[in-house]
Amino acid sequence: ASRVLKTAAFADSTTYSETATASRSDIKMGITVGAFGQDNQDGSLTAQSIQLNPMFRLGSPPGQPIQNK
């Protein structure tokens, strides 16, 4: 994969987030998670990573990472 360097501009409306290591016990009923991994033939997913309370860009379907255009 090739790497592209870009300059980022910050606006007053820019939002910031921070990630931290979590564990299975941090997943509670009612929170939103994003699961990413391998699809199984039975329709389930074997997660390789899970994001707790992920932030998605408006218009991104749930479960899909933010796509840079």
Side-chain angles (χ1 to χ4, degrees):
S2 63
R3 294 173 54 178
V4 176
L5 298 177
K6 292 186 177 186
T7 300
F10 301 90
D12 291 341
S13 60
T14 300
T15 59
Y16 304 87
S17 64
E18 182 177 78
T19 59
T21 301
S23 67
R24 184 182 297 193
S25 64
D26 293 314
I27 299 175
K28 307 289 185 212
M29 184 65 74
I31 69 167
T32 301
V33 301
F36 306 90
Q38 279 298 123
D39 290 326
N40 299 313
Q41 289 184 355
D42 66 0
S44 66
L45 177 97
T46 300
Q48 293 172 329
S49 68
I50 295 179
Q51 295 177 359
L52 280 60
N53 298 311
M55 293 178 55
F56 296 105
R57 183 177 295 163
L58 291 176
S60 293
Q64 298 297 316
I66 295 172
Q67 299 290 320
N68 290 327
K69 296 182 180 184

